[in-house]
Amino acid sequence: MACVYIPVQNSEEEVRVALDQLPRDASDILDILKAEQAPLDLWLIIAREYFKQGKIEQFRQILEEGSSPEIDEYYADVRYERIAILNALGAYYSYLGKIETKQREKEDHFILATQYYNKASRIDMHEPSTWVGKGQLLLAKGDVEQASAAFKIVLDGDRDNVPALLGQGCVQFNRGRYSDSLELYKFDVAIMNFGKRALQVYPNSPGAVRLGLGLCRYKLGQFEKARQAFQRVLQASESIDPENVEALVALGIMDLQTNEAAGIQKGMEEMQRAFEIYPYCAMALNYLANHFFFTGQHFLVEQLTETALAVTNHGPTKSHSYYNLARSYHSKGDYEKAGLYYMASVKESNKPREFVLPYYGLGQVQLKLGDFRSSLSNFEKVLEVYPENCESLKAVGHIYVQLGQTEKALELLRKATKIDPRDAQAFLELGELLILSDAGAALDAFKTARGLLKRGGEEVPIELLNNIGVLHFERGEFELAEQTFKEALGDGIWLAFMDGKIEFSAIDSSVSTRQYKDIELFQRLEEDGVSMELPWDKVTTVFNHARLLEQLHDTEKASILYRLILFKYPDYIDAYLRLAAIAKERNNIQLSIELIGDALKVNDKCPNALSMLGNLELKSDDWVKAKDTFRAAREATDGKDSYATLSLGNWNYFAAVRSEKRGPKLEATHLEKAKELYTKVLVQRPANLYAANGAGVVLAEKGHFDVSKDIFTQVQEAASGSIFVQMPDVWINLAHVYFAQGHFALAYQNCLRKFFYNTDTQVLLYLARTHYEAEQWQDCKKTLLRAIHLVPSNYTLRFDAGVAMQKFSASTLQKAKRTADEVRSTVAELKNAVRVFSQLSAASSHHFHGFDEKKIETHVGYCKHLLDAAKVHCEAAEREEQQNRQRLEVARQVTLAEEARRKAEEQRKFQLERRKQEDEVKKMMQQEEHFERIKEQWKSSTPAPKRKDRSQIEQEEGGHSEKRRKGGKRRKKDKSPRPHYDSEEAEADMMDNHEEMEDEDANMMNDQDTNQMNDQDDDGADNAQDLLAAAGLEDSDAEDDVDAPMSAVNRRRRAWSESDEDEPSERQPGSSLNRENSAELPESDGEVREESD
Amino acid sequence: MKLAGLKSVDNAHEESIWAVTWVPATDARPALLLTGSLDETVKLWRPDELVLEGTNTGHCLGVVSVAAHPSGVIAASASLDSFVRVFDVDTNATIATLEAPPSEVWQMQFDPKVRKDNIPARTLIALKSPNRCQASDISLASSVISIHTSLLRKTEFLPYRTDYLKHPGIILAVAGGGSASVKLWDTATWQQIATLSVPRPEGSKPSDKSGSSKFVLSVAWSPDGRRLACGSMDGTISIFDVSRAKFLHHLEGHFMPVRSLAYSPVDTRVLFSASDDAHVHMYDAEGKSLIGAMSGHASWVLSVDVSPDGAALATGSSDRTVRLWDLSMRAAVQTMSNHTDQVWGVAFRPPGGTGVRAGRLVSVSDDKGISLYDYSGM
């Protein structure tokens, strides 16, 4: 072991001091040193030894003693040693200042250091080591330029001064940071040169030199050489500094960055070693924390980063530490804390260009916490640095979606997909964004995503396939949709159901009415060992597939799938609703209501279920309940659900046109309310077709035909384009309006073919009505017969047909000219009419179909009367025909004769012939006159004045109700025939119509009476008896006239004047359809959206 | 199994065609087709070329239903005016005009569609109707042997029990519409022999509005002639024991009008029903259970018939299509969309006749057209 020898003053002896046995108390040594006036270099050696042994206090004590004023005085001429002592102290305090974290102490240390150096300079201001020390101090203070100047002074004197060279290298290295890459390169080269020169001069230089060199190599991208340098630091310095933490950390970082398992492993070992050697190296701590973050040991991460934060003051490093901490909390889901630390990290570095990750993290956390604006700004910062970063582009796009700036979002996502056309995720998001705006483009995007995933050998997520399927579905590409759904679902029990492979045992037919509630079959199958597995992520797709089957009319399979869903997931409300819809479609109202009840058991606030229940209650004529239900539905959605509001609007509209007392005031109130509700919906959703339709109806009801026509036309245009929106009502309404304005519309016919497969008798009735108005009796009759064929149990139709036939006959008989054939067919028709009426009257003893038996009797009587009269007509017509024939024969002969002697007396004879003919004509005239008188009897049954006018009158007199009593009575009877068949709750209309009919009856009768009066006047007293009889019948005819259109011809009297009282009823199935559809489609969207988060 | 279009006649009638049936072959001629239309005519067609053989007029209002006697000699047509006209197929001579006021007339069917080869040769029907006109007397005299009329008259209630199995076609069953009953007519005397009434649901007052809901639209005989099924507007199907003229039970499951019924020719228990709810149900009519429900049509199913081999089902619908169903799979195997309007009738040709083995299916529609298809079971 090394020793120093302190010469004893005034003698040859020396005191031997073993360096490894320095006394604990430095005062002992100091006493010796002082007593023996030992040379100052010994002081220094001993102090350094203390330092090496970590005995900092002793080290400081000796040096401070060694630099005291007395020593200065005593050793005044020993300049170098004194400087060395001062420099050692200066270096010591520089170091203290450098590692001190507290700002105040740091300052103090630096001040002390400065003082020592200044003192040293005063002894010899040219001493290079002092300048080097000053340079280091300046470096430590971050004053790079001055430091450089200090080193330069030394190097100017001795260009091979190693410490100065290193110092200058350090300066350059630090400068390099702030320069752009080219300069950086230059500087690095410069540093390298310094470093190399240092090594050349002093090959055994401390590790620091090689370390610096390694760092430079690293910066220049010469990783291999850098690695060698670091390794040599550790090897070479084994004796001096075998545990150079920086070198270890540097090597560790390099190994970690190899990104290979082995490298990372090695890197971590190095880091760990560094940590064991010196637990306060922030860099190593950060990297370790980083590692433990990935291994998921969050507790360690927190510990390490907290230590790192405590030991370092270096902004970027702290930033890293905060980042690590934030990341840890982020992954644990503690977004609040994560956000705070990200924020701290951002604040520490504050330069996105250097360390962008915390901005990204912060953006993510803020996005998660819903702070879109801040999140957006952070992601945008990321994009400033990396404008083509797909993840950030997607994130920003997503935020724009949330902020409702779809255009911007689209732009960004499109950019993202353009930058990386293989990023399936970006296409996925793009597709989701496009779903609402452009289904076609969305489909393309989804398909691309699917293709990419498939090519990449990845499993295509079921959500994606589901969405593709739904989009195909919405576009009406059912086959593609089915394929996609099947692909999404893969193998499972559902396949067996879809392919019909599972046979169901027969069920008792009385139970079969409840088949849509039956899930026992699954239990049975399960008992038989069939697995009923239905993974949760496939439920949506199974549901959608069932919807598709429903659309394809494969209702049975659809119902099985719905039930399968319910068997496994009894809370799946939509499945109940669809089953209820199927039951409703099949007219199984009871079951439908039960299923809705099940749905409400799951969620008694489900607005869809409530709306549907209301609809069903309307269907079963439970008005008050329906209103309550609709109200509940509206409340359940805070009035946001248009459907409930719409239904209430409809309800009010019905109430307006059906109310028992038919007070104009009440009616107006209801109409107003209906209008208000429709308007409310329109304000919320300006594109709501049903609300627009409703508003149109109300307007038409008020007589604003032109406005309502415009509305209907627009709705009609808008409605033709989606497979889910089917609005026959608007077609009918439009037809009604045209009709009301006097255009006989064939729109009914189109409507019938387009929407109802010709099965809607109501529309047939409208059609018959147009024929009736146009006096196309045969067409009218045929149309009615078709209707009867469709709904044979609707006796009203038969009555109408009878009336049509009667009208036909009467009109033929009134014709001035008619052939015998015509009369004969009239007779046949009359016989039919009589038969129809008598059958009705006979049937009325069996059923109640709303006809007054007496009235039918009158019809029968009238027809029979006509029949009798027709016989006379018939004979007359036949006689006339006979005569005509004879006359023609004579004429022909005459012409022949004339031919023979034409030349002779042509002109004169012709004259004669003329006269003869005239005589004949006169005779004819007489006969005609005779018939005319009979005809007069029919005149009174002249077609009534144009309907329109009458309806006008009727409207005016809408309120007055002389005949109310009778109306009421009949109304009750009227109930029976239709309700079963009418597609909707038409009873209301029926009543109204009836009532109205009564009114009109009254009006009409008056009308007719006056007509008759006139007729009578004209006619004179001649044939009074006949007339009287006729008048009585005429009266009945008059009533029929009116009745036919009303009671009979569907009493759509309102069609022209008030327009469309029954549309709303029809509208309902339509709108409910829509509703039901929309119920599950958003469903699937929803799921996907969740997924994308 | 497969359908292949053979021949279509557009504008076969002037108006919608509402009814079609096959008139079984006789010794003198092959099976013919009988169609009834809104244009008030009944037409007779000779397959496979669908040559018009004759046009019967005389009905008022549209012809809603046609039925042919298993012998192929006589047929009946019914119209909206509730008259049934029974006529000789070959001469068009009116044999009887039936009416049961106030009951309407909808579907009709002669009792069992027994395979013709089971019928003893020349054992046809007795026609002793006083209404019968001279012309038919002459034409039928040679081919018709009168039998068992005395027996029929002897007992009031069970007149046909012993006989009808041997001699099909003794009874014509007519769906009685609003009378909520099926009327049975003796084809010998053309007297009404029984009314099978659909019971009103329990608890309902006779005054309620169920009258029209039990409106009977369709009838079908079981192939053994023991059972009669009828379908109503409200969707219920009623099964009757014919020999005792007794209502047995309802088959439930439909809630919309049942417009057509057909028994399987191979299994007398199996009944198929076509309803406005777009479904075809398959019932065990004896066991009172629903065997299966088949969906696929987009609108009302108007007509149903079972192939003679009992393996396939044909349906016609308001959705303008004819569908062929494989009963082993209970799934539609083919959809014909050659019609442009509702398909009111489909009918398989009954087996038998001179050397005709090939299966035939016919369909008629509101589009005024008739289509004939080849049906092959393999």
Side-chain angles (χ1 to χ4, degrees):
Chain A
M1 192 61 233
C3 316
V4 283
Y5 298 91
I6 304 171
V8 176
Q9 214 173 10
N10 302 327
S11 82
E12 289 302 303
E13 289 170 35
E14 294 173 322
V15 178
R16 183 169 168 273
V17 177
L19 285 181
D20 54 350
Q21 287 169 356
L22 287 172
R24 181 161 302 193
D25 190 354
S27 312
D28 297 350
I29 283 283
L30 264 180
D31 286 346
I32 298 172
L33 287 173
K34 271 188 205 158
E36 304 304 332
Q37 295 179 355
L40 281 177
D41 62 329
L42 281 178
W43 291 55
L44 203 58
I45 286 168
I46 289 167
R48 210 160 54 196
E49 196 51 44
Y50 270 121
F51 185 77
K52 271 188 186 167
Q53 290 174 16
K55 293 172 179 161
I56 305 300
E57 207 33 57
Q58 288 87 336
F59 158 80
R60 204 168 48 84
Q61 201 183 343
I62 291 174
L63 286 188
E64 268 169 12
E65 200 68 38
S67 59
S68 59
E70 348 166 356
I71 296 288
D72 278 347
E73 208 175 305
Y74 186 79
Y75 292 98
D77 52 339
V78 191
R79 293 161 57 119
Y80 179 76
E81 277 77 8
R82 274 165 58 209
I83 289 171
I85 287 173
L86 286 169
N87 282 353
L89 275 168
Y92 169 65
Y93 281 109
S94 302
Y95 170 73
L96 280 184
K98 198 167 151 188
I99 59 165
E100 180 56 63
T101 47
K102 283 176 210 136
Q103 205 55 40
R104 172 100 64 75
E105 276 91 341
K106 200 182 183 86
E107 291 289 304
D108 290 346
H109 289 310
F110 282 140
I111 287 167
L112 270 176
T114 315
Q115 279 170 2
Y116 285 118
Y117 281 128
N118 283 346
K119 211 171 159 190
S121 283
R122 272 199 299 277
I123 296 169
D124 180 359
M125 70 165 294
H126 295 296
E127 174 55 43
S129 58
T130 314
W131 284 112
V132 171
K134 275 187 176 174
Q136 296 286 7
L137 173 63
L138 289 164
L139 257 185
K141 282 162 83 173
D143 200 345
V144 180
E145 287 314 311
Q146 287 201 45
S148 173
F151 292 128
K152 196 164 176 288
I153 289 168
V154 180
L155 287 175
D156 282 348
D158 174 7
R159 60 179 291 268
D160 285 336
N161 185 305
V162 174
L165 277 172
L166 288 173
Q168 196 67 303
C170 219
V171 166
Q172 304 290 38
F173 188 81
N174 279 336
R175 263 193 200 156
R177 281 202 145 153
Y178 307 106
S179 312
D180 60 61
S181 57
L182 191 65
E183 274 170 287
L184 197 120
Y185 177 70
K186 275 198 231 148
F187 279 116
D188 281 336
V189 171
I191 300 159
M192 295 256 294
N193 289 337
F194 285 123
K196 273 187 181 161
R197 264 165 64 196
L199 281 177
Q200 275 165 3
V201 177
Y202 186 28
N204 287 330
S205 62
V209 182
R210 295 189 186 276
L211 186 69
L213 205 56
L215 287 175
C216 293
R217 295 274 193 202
Y218 181 79
K219 279 232 161 180
L220 284 169
Q222 300 166 334
F223 297 119
E224 253 336 287
K225 286 196 168 165
R227 176 184 296 278
Q228 280 170 7
F230 293 135
Q231 274 162 351
R232 277 183 65 188
V233 172
L234 294 172
Q235 286 161 8
S237 60
E238 225 160 330
S239 51
I240 312 162
D241 192 2
E243 296 175 340
N244 188 309
V245 174
E246 281 86 352
L248 270 172
V249 170
L251 264 180
I253 291 174
M254 286 191 76
D255 283 333
L256 284 176
Q257 278 172 352
T258 56
N259 253 341
E260 287 158 21
I264 292 171
Q265 177 87 20
K266 206 171 143 219
M268 277 327 291
E269 278 165 15
E270 280 148 351
M271 287 292 178
Q272 222 158 334
R273 239 175 79 209
F275 174 72
E276 279 157 15
I277 295 164
Y278 181 67
Y280 303 111
C281 173
M283 187 70 92
L285 290 169
N286 276 344
Y287 273 96
L288 281 170
N290 188 34
H291 172 76
F292 288 121
F293 172 76
F294 284 114
T295 57
Q297 289 154 290
H298 294 294
F299 175 72
L300 285 174
V301 176
E302 280 157 40
Q303 292 276 305
L304 288 167
T305 43
E306 269 158 26
T307 319
L309 283 171
V311 298
T312 187
N313 208 6
H314 182 232
T317 313
K318 276 183 106 164
S319 173
H320 255 280
S321 305
Y322 281 129
Y323 174 68
N324 272 338
L325 210 50
R327 225 163 28 146
S328 171
Y329 283 116
H330 191 167
S331 73
K332 283 197 292 188
D334 186 346
Y335 299 113
E336 297 286 342
K337 268 196 181 158
L340 285 178
Y341 284 117
Y342 277 132
M343 208 93 83
S345 172
V346 165
K347 221 179 266 166
E348 259 335 302
S349 92
N350 215 5
K351 291 184 194 78
R353 216 159 267 289
E354 270 171 39
F355 190 44
V356 83
L357 291 175
Y359 288 92
Y360 188 74
L362 188 57
Q364 280 181 317
V365 169
Q366 284 163 336
L367 180 60
K368 194 83 192 171
L369 294 175
D371 184 358
F372 296 125
R373 303 260 163 220
S374 319
S375 172
L376 184 62
S377 84
N378 282 314
F379 279 119
E380 272 170 353
K381 269 179 201 141
V382 177
L383 283 179
E384 270 169 34
V385 184
Y386 299 107
E388 311 230 309
N389 180 291
C390 278
E391 293 301 321
S392 306
L393 282 172
K394 281 188 281 179
V396 173
H398 185 80
I399 292 169
Y400 277 126
V401 175
Q402 302 296 321
L403 294 175
Q405 288 167 292
T406 322
E407 283 308 307
K408 274 190 174 170
L410 268 180
E411 193 187 309
L412 283 160
L413 284 174
R414 286 222 169 92
K415 193 174 163 198
T417 55
K418 221 173 271 169
I419 290 165
D420 186 358
R422 273 166 312 196
D423 184 347
Q425 193 61 35
F427 278 104
L428 246 172
E429 294 215 14
L430 183 62
E432 266 155 35
L433 192 57
L434 283 166
I435 282 181
L436 289 177
S437 55
D438 183 352
L443 186 60
D444 288 343
F446 282 139
K447 278 185 181 161
T448 313
R450 175 174 65 176
L452 287 170
L453 289 171
K454 271 189 183 161
R455 233 172 295 143
E458 284 177 67
E459 200 186 326
V460 184
I462 185 168
E463 295 82 13
L464 172 59
L465 290 171
N466 179 52
N467 281 2
I468 294 177
V470 169
L471 283 171
H472 278 309
F473 187 5
E474 280 177 345
R475 284 156 62 99
E477 297 158 348
F478 298 132
E479 264 178 47
L480 285 169
E482 188 165 7
Q483 276 171 21
T484 320
F485 285 142
K486 278 198 171 144
E487 188 185 337
L489 288 172
D491 223 6
I493 182 68
W494 47 85
L495 266 187
F497 290 124
M498 282 189 269
D499 298 345
K501 290 226 176 75
I502 292 182
E503 290 269 324
F504 299 109
S505 48
I507 40 174
D508 190 89
S509 89
S510 58
V511 183
S512 70
T513 58
R514 309 167 43 78
Q515 56 170 324
Y516 294 133
K517 283 193 77 175
D518 175 32
I519 51 171
E520 270 172 35
L521 68 115
F522 302 112
Q523 264 154 19
R524 278 197 298 274
L525 283 170
E526 212 164 34
E527 279 160 23
D528 293 348
V530 183
S531 156
M532 287 286 151
E533 211 53 39
L534 175 60
W536 61 269
D537 60 335
K538 297 201 169 168
V539 175
T540 304
T541 314
V542 170
F543 181 87
N544 284 339
H545 196 174
R547 264 301 285 136
L548 177 66
L549 287 170
E550 230 188 299
Q551 193 74 23
L552 296 170
H553 308 291
D554 211 340
T555 326
E556 287 306 304
K557 279 179 197 161
S559 94
I560 291 171
L561 290 184
Y562 290 136
R563 279 182 277 159
L564 175 66
I565 293 175
L566 290 178
F567 176 61
K568 302 299 284 186
Y569 302 92
D571 284 352
Y572 203 96
I573 287 192
D574 286 321
Y576 286 115
L577 292 185
R578 285 318 303 168
L579 283 172
I582 292 175
K584 183 182 157 205
E585 199 64 33
R586 296 191 63 183
N587 207 25
N588 194 345
I589 305 299
Q590 194 50 43
L591 181 62
S592 189
I593 290 179
E594 275 179 44
L595 283 161
I596 297 282
D598 289 344
L600 287 174
K601 261 179 231 156
V602 178
N603 174 9
D604 63 350
K605 288 266 182 321
C606 173
N608 290 348
L610 285 171
S611 299
M612 203 164 160
L613 183 61
N615 213 331
L616 284 164
E617 281 163 352
L618 268 191
K619 204 169 162 140
S620 48
D621 217 24
D622 206 339
W623 284 69
V624 182
K625 250 195 195 171
K627 189 177 189 181
D628 288 344
T629 314
F630 283 135
R631 281 214 174 123
R634 192 167 61 152
E635 273 158 32
T637 55
D638 295 329
K640 281 196 195 93
D641 187 78
S642 323
Y643 184 77
T645 315
L646 204 55
S647 301
L648 276 175
N650 290 349
W651 192 96
N652 273 294
Y653 177 74
F654 287 138
V657 294
R658 84 155 239 167
S659 72
E660 292 276 331
K661 283 178 193 127
R662 190 75 197 244
K665 224 185 206 170
L666 203 60
E667 185 179 326
T669 326
H670 279 305
L671 274 184
E672 204 45 51
K673 182 78 187 158
K675 192 180 157 196
E676 184 194 314
L677 287 160
Y678 291 138
T679 317
K680 203 186 252 171
V681 175
L682 279 176
V683 168
Q684 268 174 11
R685 313 258 156 94
N688 191 312
L689 297 179
Y690 301 100
N693 189 31
V697 169
V698 174
L699 281 168
E701 192 77 36
K702 292 183 168 176
H704 307 300
F705 292 133
D706 285 322
V707 189
S708 60
K709 191 157 78 186
D710 281 351
I711 294 177
F712 291 142
T713 314
Q714 281 186 29
V715 173
Q716 187 184 27
E717 273 168 27
S720 47
S722 162
I723 60 155
F724 288 115
V725 184
Q726 299 242 310
M727 285 194 69
D729 336 295
V730 76
W731 289 69
I732 296 173
N733 286 342
L734 204 54
H736 280 335
V737 173
Y738 276 120
F739 193 49
Q741 293 189 324
H743 311 288
F744 291 151
L746 284 173
Y748 290 128
Q749 217 152 9
N750 295 334
C751 178
L752 203 58
R753 280 188 81 79
K754 195 166 156 71
F755 294 106
F756 301 109
Y757 291 112
N758 279 347
T759 55
D760 193 285
T761 43
Q762 199 69 31
V763 186
L764 272 175
L765 220 37
Y766 298 145
L767 193 59
R769 172 73 215 195
T770 48
H771 289 312
Y772 187 93
E773 286 301 318
E775 304 195 350
Q776 298 159 330
W777 311 116
Q778 282 306 311
D779 289 330
C780 176
K781 182 185 103 179
K782 287 255 162 71
T783 311
L784 286 168
L785 289 180
R786 273 180 218 281
I788 296 172
H789 189 224
L790 288 169
V791 195
S793 57
N794 186 341
Y795 288 93
T796 327
L797 294 171
R798 289 166 192 266
F799 186 90
D800 297 347
V803 172
M805 289 188 274
Q806 177 192 317
K807 286 295 285 186
F808 167 71
S809 314
S811 75
T812 319
L813 288 177
Q814 273 158 21
K815 271 202 229 165
K817 272 197 171 171
R818 60 208 171 243
T819 63
D821 274 349
E822 269 178 343
V823 179
R824 267 193 292 275
S825 70
T826 305
V827 169
E829 207 71 317
L830 273 173
K831 280 183 186 155
N832 281 336
V834 170
R835 184 167 168 82
V836 166
F837 285 128
S838 18
Q839 270 200 331
L840 275 176
S841 89
S844 66
S845 55
H846 284 249
H847 316 289
F848 294 92
H849 40 54
F851 308 118
D852 193 335
E853 235 170 288
K854 261 190 215 150
K855 192 160 101 187
I856 297 173
E857 291 300 333
T858 336
H859 275 282
V860 173
Y862 175 58
C863 287
K864 280 187 179 152
H865 165 81
L866 272 184
L867 210 51
D868 291 341
K871 265 178 206 150
V872 184
H873 281 276
C874 199
E875 281 159 22
E878 270 165 13
R879 223 178 309 141
E880 195 176 330
E881 236 173 22
Q882 189 74 19
Q883 282 170 348
N884 262 336
R885 259 200 301 277
Q886 282 172 355
R887 183 159 32 100
L888 279 171
E889 184 59 25
V890 172
R892 199 172 59 87
Q893 280 175 0
V894 168
T895 21
L896 279 175
E898 192 186 330
E899 193 106 326
R901 336 159 230 174
R902 191 164 44 122
K903 298 263 160 150
E905 282 185 298
E906 196 186 55
Q907 199 52 37
R908 195 182 60 87
K909 286 253 165 155
F910 184 68
Q911 270 326 348
L912 190 75
E913 229 21 76
R914 265 277 175 83
R915 224 173 298 146
K916 224 180 193 173
Q917 270 184 333
E918 271 163 27
D919 286 351
E920 291 257 349
V921 169
K922 225 176 251 167
K923 212 163 149 200
M924 282 301 302
M925 288 291 272
Q926 275 175 341
Q927 268 182 337
E928 290 263 338
E929 244 166 90
H930 172 67
F931 291 133
E932 203 59 39
R933 240 171 291 140
I934 306 168
K935 233 188 296 165
E936 282 301 326
Q937 294 169 354
W938 315 117
K939 226 176 217 166
S940 39
S941 62
T942 320
K946 275 289 164 230
R947 299 280 139 189
K948 254 192 296 173
D949 312 347
R950 226 181 299 152
S951 68
Q952 219 53 40
I953 302 166
E954 171 220 333
Q955 254 208 323
E956 282 160 30
E957 297 183 81
H960 104 119
S961 53
E962 312 150 327
K963 286 235 169 176
R964 189 69 54 206
R965 193 185 45 79
K966 191 176 154 206
K969 196 176 94 200
R970 212 175 289 168
R971 194 186 316 135
K972 243 174 239 160
K973 289 188 180 170
D974 219 53
K975 265 190 177 176
S976 59
R978 300 263 244 41
H980 299 286
Y981 211 73
D982 248 326
S983 62
E984 283 296 291
E985 53 291 322
E987 230 174 297
D989 326 36
M990 285 249 318
M991 294 201 200
D992 293 295
N993 288 326
H994 244 273
E995 216 148 339
E996 201 163 321
M997 168 176 94
E998 297 305 333
D999 289 347
E1000 208 180 327
D1001 264 359
N1003 301 336
M1004 269 316 291
M1005 290 238 255
N1006 298 338
D1007 258 338
Q1008 209 68 31
D1009 283 341
T1010 52
N1011 280 350
Q1012 235 155 20
M1013 286 311 194
N1014 298 339
D1015 288 348
Q1016 269 174 353
D1017 289 347
D1018 292 352
D1019 227 309
D1022 176 318
N1023 240 342
Q1025 191 79 18
D1026 272 4
L1027 258 179
L1028 260 178
L1033 285 161
E1034 229 88 279
D1035 212 333
S1036 84
D1037 180 30
E1039 201 176 329
D1040 300 337
D1041 271 358
V1042 188
D1043 250 329
M1046 337 217 347
S1047 94
V1049 182
N1050 189 28
R1051 0 355 238 296
R1052 282 307 164 235
R1053 174 130 241 50
R1054 312 183 121 236
W1056 25 99
S1057 61
E1058 309 172 24
S1059 102
D1060 9 8
E1061 68 211 90
D1062 42 351
E1063 289 59 89
S1065 72
E1066 258 133 86
R1067 170 150 32 80
Q1068 271 199 325
S1071 59
S1072 78
L1073 181 85
N1074 179 44
R1075 174 83 248 145
E1076 285 146 28
N1077 282 328
S1078 63
E1080 69 278 346
L1081 287 173
E1083 224 288 289
S1084 60
D1085 291 351
E1087 171 147 333
V1088 174
R1089 230 172 276 138
E1090 258 166 58
E1091 227 54 51
S1092 76
D1093 288 342
Chain B
M1 55 190 56
K2 198 176 134 217
L3 288 179
L6 281 179
K7 171 89 184 169
S8 283
V9 181
D10 295 333
N11 295 314
H13 279 269
E14 280 164 31
E15 282 290 347
S16 306
I17 309 180
W18 283 348
V20 65
T21 194
W22 288 90
V23 182
T26 63
D27 294 343
R29 54 158 174 77
L32 297 176
L33 268 174
L34 199 60
T35 56
S37 156
L38 171 61
D39 68 6
E40 306 181 352
T41 64
V42 171
K43 290 187 178 179
L44 207 54
W45 310 82
R46 182 187 293 271
D48 287 339
E49 282 310 304
L50 295 180
V51 182
L52 182 63
E53 288 273 295
T55 303
N56 305 351
T57 55
H59 277 294
C60 295
L61 314 181
V63 177
V64 290
S65 156
V66 288
H69 192 275
S71 68
V73 177
I74 59 168
S77 54
S79 50
L80 276 174
D81 60 6
S82 309
F83 281 117
V84 178
R85 174 178 179 260
V86 185
F87 58 97
D88 180 280
V89 173
D90 293 316
T91 65
N92 187 23
T94 303
I95 293 166
T97 304
L98 313 178
E99 178 186 20
S103 158
E104 295 91 349
V105 174
W106 289 94
Q107 256 181 28
M108 312 178 286
Q109 197 176 32
F110 283 94
D111 73 308
K113 295 196 225 169
V114 183
R115 296 171 61 87
K116 195 172 178 247
D117 19 346
N118 290 350
I119 303 170
R122 311 214 130 246
T123 314
L124 296 178
I125 37 150
L127 294 171
K128 280 247 165 167
S129 164
N131 301 347
R132 199 169 122 200
C133 69
Q134 292 302 316
S136 75
D137 262 340
I138 300 159
S139 74
L140 287 168
S142 58
S143 63
V144 174
I145 304 162
S146 347
I147 44 159
H148 64 249
T149 36
S150 52
L151 186 76
L152 279 169
R153 280 184 184 143
K154 231 181 254 168
T155 48
E156 263 305 308
F157 220 61
L158 312 169
Y160 30 79
R161 176 188 254 171
T162 48
D163 249 71
Y164 71 91
L165 290 181
K166 258 187 280 167
H167 310 294
I170 297 172
I171 303 167
L172 173 65
V174 179
S179 66
S181 65
V182 178
K183 311 278 183 199
L184 300 186
W185 296 82
D186 183 337
T187 56
T189 62
W190 298 112
Q191 299 297 313
Q192 191 179 317
I193 49 174
T195 296
L196 308 176
S197 288
V198 177
R200 289 177 188 281
E202 307 98 50
S204 69
K205 282 164 270 161
S207 61
D208 73 7
K209 45 191 179 181
S210 65
S212 51
S213 68
K214 288 291 176 202
F215 193 105
V216 175
L217 280 171
S218 47
V219 284
W221 285 91
S222 70
D224 60 7
R226 290 175 195 280
R227 297 284 183 262
L228 193 67
C230 73
S232 315
M233 281 300 280
D234 67 353
T236 49
I237 298 164
S238 311
I239 306 292
F240 295 94
D241 178 343
V242 181
S243 59
R244 289 187 291 146
K246 188 169 178 268
F247 167 80
L248 293 178
H249 51 251
H250 285 306
L251 300 177
E252 292 174 57
H254 292 297
F255 290 87
M256 290 167 92
V258 174
R259 290 183 194 264
S260 178
L261 291 167
Y263 271 97
S264 162
V266 295
D267 185 346
T268 64
R269 292 167 69 100
V270 176
L271 176 71
F272 296 93
S273 60
S275 164
D276 284 3
D277 63 14
H279 282 59
V280 174
H281 281 184
M282 182 177 180
Y283 288 103
D284 174 353
E286 293 296 296
K288 214 184 141 192
S289 59
L290 177 67
I291 303 171
M294 290 173 275
S295 57
H297 277 298
S299 185
W300 302 357
V301 189
L302 301 172
S303 175
V304 62
D305 199 19
V306 193
S307 68
D309 57 11
L313 202 66
T315 52
S317 160
S318 288
D319 68 10
R320 300 164 198 160
T321 64
V322 173
R323 277 183 183 238
L324 185 70
W325 308 76
D326 184 335
L327 286 176
S328 61
M329 292 156 61
R330 285 187 210 159
V333 286
Q334 204 176 348
T335 305
M336 311 295 287
S337 2
N338 46 323
H339 284 297
T340 57
D341 211 334
Q342 328 194 50
V343 181
W344 279 104
V346 289
F348 282 103
R349 179 167 68 185
T354 46
V356 186
R357 283 275 152 252
R360 289 285 180 271
L361 176 74
V362 67
S363 64
V364 295
S365 155
D366 256 353
D367 68 5
K368 307 172 196 172
I370 306 177
S371 285
L372 186 68
Y373 316 87
D374 173 72
Y375 161 75
S376 55
M378 292 307 125

